Each structure stands twice: as structure tokens, then as C-alpha cells.
Amino acid sequence: MKQPLRTNQILRLLFWETTIKCNLTCAHCRRLESDEAVISDLSTEQAKELIEQLAELGKEQPMMPVLVFSGGEPLCREDLFELVGHAKKLGITPALATNGTLIDAETAERIRDNGIVRAAVSLDGATAEVHNKLRQLEGSFERALEGIRHLRKKNVPFQINITLTKHNAEQLEDIYELAKSLGAVAVHIFMLVPVGCGQVLAETDMLSPQQYEQMMLEICRLDGAGQLQVKVTCGPHYERVIRQQGLYQARKNKKAHPGGTVPGRTGYGGPSRGCLAGLGVLFVGHQGDVFPCGYLPVNCGNILENKLSDIWNDSGELARMRDSSALEGKCGICGYREVCGGCRARAFAATGNYMAEEPFCAYIPPEAAGQV
């Protein structure tokens, strides 16, 4: 008899790199391939097969996963809305991750009319000077803001994504305020992971563990204001910080949240594990390769060779990653390991071992005090 899925084995979000092509060359991008590699993107039929496999997996769960159409820049893909419609028809909730620069009035209308529940637009600074330096294209800030305004006019819910580095950390509150003024429903804060182009950027712009800790406290303050939905990605120790600061229980006690629920979650009572790589999240690359997340280059299979559900249920790499008792170093003995888990991608980047301790966490568990 088939065993029921464990709580930490429910796929909630699948990020699909729809294309390697992009109109920007961001300094912190995870991709290494150039636009010429676009010829190896999944074809329309192969992409539909991926979507159908995801729907099949979703039917085995208590909930259907959210499919985030990402990239590269997904709006560079000509059949994007055909694929979004296919996902919607199969009961999958579609979302969009974009740099915003290609969104005009017509595109915003198509995003709305094709049932995309939320668009995530990246802003890596509250000013053109800061944003454009990271995006490496003059005018990209203004074009992203223009795209956001088109989304708002067409009543498309949108969130602002920011990747924190030394270059923009001091603008975090300004970006939060800018997001509010633009009408965003949420701010999602990404902590830099040294993969792809980010490996070079990390040498100069990676926050230290102590700086990360201070930023977590700053995020906690903004989150506690309750004016915008705030989510930290690739900063799993935030789940420790909000508990230490008393914010977690306060959030759970709220009946509603500004901006609604996070796509892929049912509310504050949903999963709160910091690192969801391979637990509630998967990433499918533009050629069909499956990874625990977009920042952890551990190949778990390919949807052209194996069914997505088989990869999800049977991958030995994913099984190991789901076992918090197998965490090593201070993560393995930390009292917060079940809710944090440490960033497996940063551990892998630093040591080649994704179960090693989180290298950018300043917290020393009491149990480890005598060992450090």
C-alpha cells in the first residue's frame, strides 16, 4: 500500500526556468549559460509534458503546487501564455517571476487574463543608481517601475523581490517603503547565494554572518509592522530570529495578512521550515533537469527521462535533504534545526557538502558553545 506523504514532502512551489534567455545580465544571477543556449530550452510540447507531470503529482497531494514561470526572463519565451493557460486548465496555480522591463500595457493585460495569480518583479535598489549597478543596464530601474505601474493599472497582484548584498542593504527600508507606495502586496527578500554569476559578486558584496544577523533583525522589525507581507528566501535562520523576537506567535495569531497568503502556503499555520529545498520546493532547469532549488546544483533527474513524481518521491538526494537529523556541524545540534535547516545551497557552495552547517549563520547553539 502506498505510504501517505509526510508534511515535509508536499511539493508546494515548483520554479521552472522557462528559458535561459534574458534581456539583462544581472551581477547576481544564478545562470552561467549565455542566450545562445536558448536552443536547448524545453520545446512547447516538452514544456506541456512537464506541466502535465506536475498536475499528476499534485493530484497525489492534499494541494496542487504553484508553478512559478521563471527564467532567464520568461517574457522572452513566445509560447509563455499558451503554457500558462495549459497549467491553469489542469488546476495548477500559475505565478510569474520577471525583471519587469518587458511589461507594457498589453503584456500586463495578458498576464491578468491568463490567470497569473501574482507577478514577482525584481528591484535591487530603491534608486536607479543602486538597482542599475546590479542589473548592469542603464534604464532598467525606470523600465521595471513602468512595468510595475502597468501591472497595477491592470489589477495584477505583484510583489517586489530584492537580493540583499552589501551594495543595497542600507536601502532595505527604502525598498519596503517604495513597494508600499507602488501598491505591492509583498516584499520577498533574497539572501545572496554564491552560485552562477553570484560567485564573483560574493567575493566583494556578500554580507558577513554578523551582517546577516543584523539584517534579519531589521527585516523582523519591518515584518512586525504588518503593512506588507514579508518573506525571506535563502535566509532560513530568519525562522529562528522571528521566534527569538516573539514575532512568530504574533503572526500565527493574526486572522489575516495584508496582501493575502503567500502562493504555495495556506497562511501562517503552513510550513515554516526556513530552507525548503527539496522539501516544499523544486526547481526545473531550462533543459528539464530537476534540482532541490535554483541555487543548489545537485541534479536529481530529468523530466524527459523520469516522471517528476518519481523524482520527487524516490530521489535519494532529496530524501537525505529532508532528514534534519542528518544535518552536520552546529546545524545538526541546533535546537532550531527543524524550523531553520540552514541554507543547503550555501553549505554546498562553501564545502561541496549540502548537509554541512550553514556558513553564514552567526548563531552559536548553546549545545555547541563548548565545541566552537
Side-chain angles (χ1 to χ4, degrees):
M1 189 174 89
K2 190 170 184 179
Q3 295 297 313
L5 291 174
R6 298 191 302 271
T7 302
N8 68 346
Q9 200 177 323
I10 296 174
L11 181 59
R12 299 172 184 273
L13 288 163
L14 186 138
F15 292 86
W16 172 39
E17 184 182 40
T18 57
T19 178
I20 200 67
K21 188 176 181 180
C22 188
N23 61 317
L24 301 181
T25 55
C26 303
H28 54 292
C29 183
R30 60 164 296 280
R31 72 173 188 158
L32 284 172
E33 297 166 277
S34 65
D35 282 357
E36 284 68 35
V38 71
I39 59 171
S40 58
D41 286 350
L42 294 180
S43 68
T44 300
E45 290 310 309
Q46 289 170 333
K48 286 184 176 180
E49 174 62 24
L50 164 62
I51 292 168
E52 288 160 11
Q53 289 185 30
L54 180 61
E56 183 181 341
L57 190 160
K59 290 175 183 176
E60 300 173 355
Q61 303 185 154
M63 62 173 288
M64 189 66 75
V66 173
L67 175 55
V68 181
F69 291 81
S70 182
E73 172 49 55
L75 290 171
C76 289
R77 184 162 178 139
E78 294 181 0
D79 60 357
L80 175 68
F81 292 108
E82 178 184 351
L83 298 174
V84 169
H86 192 60
K88 187 76 174 176
K89 182 178 67 176
L90 294 175
I92 295 170
T93 301
L96 179 70
T98 173
N99 60 45
T101 62
L102 299 180
I103 299 176
D104 55 18
E106 180 184 355
T107 302
E109 190 167 329
R110 294 183 74 187
I111 290 171
R112 180 197 65 197
D113 292 348
N114 279 276
I116 290 174
V117 296
R118 185 183 291 188
V121 181
S122 297
L123 283 182
D124 289 316
T127 60
E129 179 185 8
V130 173
H131 175 87
N132 291 347
K133 181 178 178 180
L134 280 168
R135 295 283 152 176
Q136 300 188 145
L137 179 68
E138 288 301 315
S140 59
F141 181 72
E142 294 80 5
R143 288 169 60 190
L145 290 183
E146 183 179 354
I148 286 169
R149 294 186 182 105
H150 285 304
L151 290 172
R152 187 175 186 180
K153 285 180 183 178
K154 299 300 180 181
N155 297 315
V156 177
F158 65 91
Q159 69 188 46
I160 300 301
N161 288 356
I162 170 177
T163 298
L164 278 187
T165 67
K166 288 180 181 178
H167 183 64
N168 63 11
E170 290 185 358
Q171 287 200 341
L172 177 60
E173 184 167 4
D174 292 335
I175 291 172
Y176 180 89
E177 293 298 328
L178 176 61
K180 280 200 304 182
S181 70
L182 291 170
V185 298
V187 174
H188 285 212
I189 302 161
F190 289 70
M191 302 315 221
L192 181 64
V193 179
V195 296
C197 300
Q199 287 178 298
V200 177
L201 184 67
E203 294 178 7
T204 56
D205 269 33
M206 194 89 172
L207 295 169
S208 70
Q210 292 72 27
Q211 289 170 325
Y212 268 124
E213 192 75 7
Q214 288 303 309
M215 291 310 304
M216 294 293 179
L217 293 172
E218 175 67 7
I219 295 167
C220 193
R221 182 181 67 80
L222 295 173
D223 194 358
Q227 296 175 322
L228 274 180
Q229 188 185 80
V230 175
K231 183 175 181 294
V232 180
T233 298
C234 300
H237 21 307
Y238 186 63
E239 292 297 333
R240 164 182 55 81
V241 172
I242 62 173
R243 285 164 172 79
Q244 291 175 325
Q245 299 298 313
L247 179 60
Y248 178 73
Q249 192 59 43
R251 293 198 319 182
K252 282 190 71 174
N253 291 339
K254 284 187 178 181
K255 293 181 179 179
H257 191 286
T261 57
V262 180
R265 293 193 179 192
T266 55
Y268 284 130
S272 59
R273 171 77 179 265
C275 181
L276 289 173
L279 285 89
V281 165
L282 275 184
F283 180 90
V284 177
H286 72 111
Q287 298 180 32
D289 293 316
V290 179
F291 303 92
C293 80
Y295 302 103
L296 181 49
V298 175
N299 196 325
C300 299
N302 187 293
I303 61 98
L304 300 179
E305 300 168 2
N306 307 99
K307 288 174 58 176
L308 185 64
S309 58
D310 290 341
I311 296 171
W312 177 249
N313 293 318
D314 302 331
S315 165
E317 302 280 13
L318 295 179
R320 185 181 178 215
M321 209 166 295
R322 291 168 183 147
D323 183 7
S324 60
S325 68
L327 291 171
E328 301 173 12
K330 67 178 183 180
C331 285
I333 58 175
C334 181
Y336 292 101
R337 67 181 178 275
E338 295 290 341
V339 297
C340 170
C343 177
R344 298 300 97 217
R346 276 198 292 269
F348 184 82
T351 68
N353 173 14
Y354 57 75
M355 298 305 284
E357 67 181 50
E358 157 72 67
F360 284 87
C361 175
Y363 179 68
I364 305 297
E367 299 86 348
Q371 304 175 26
V372 178

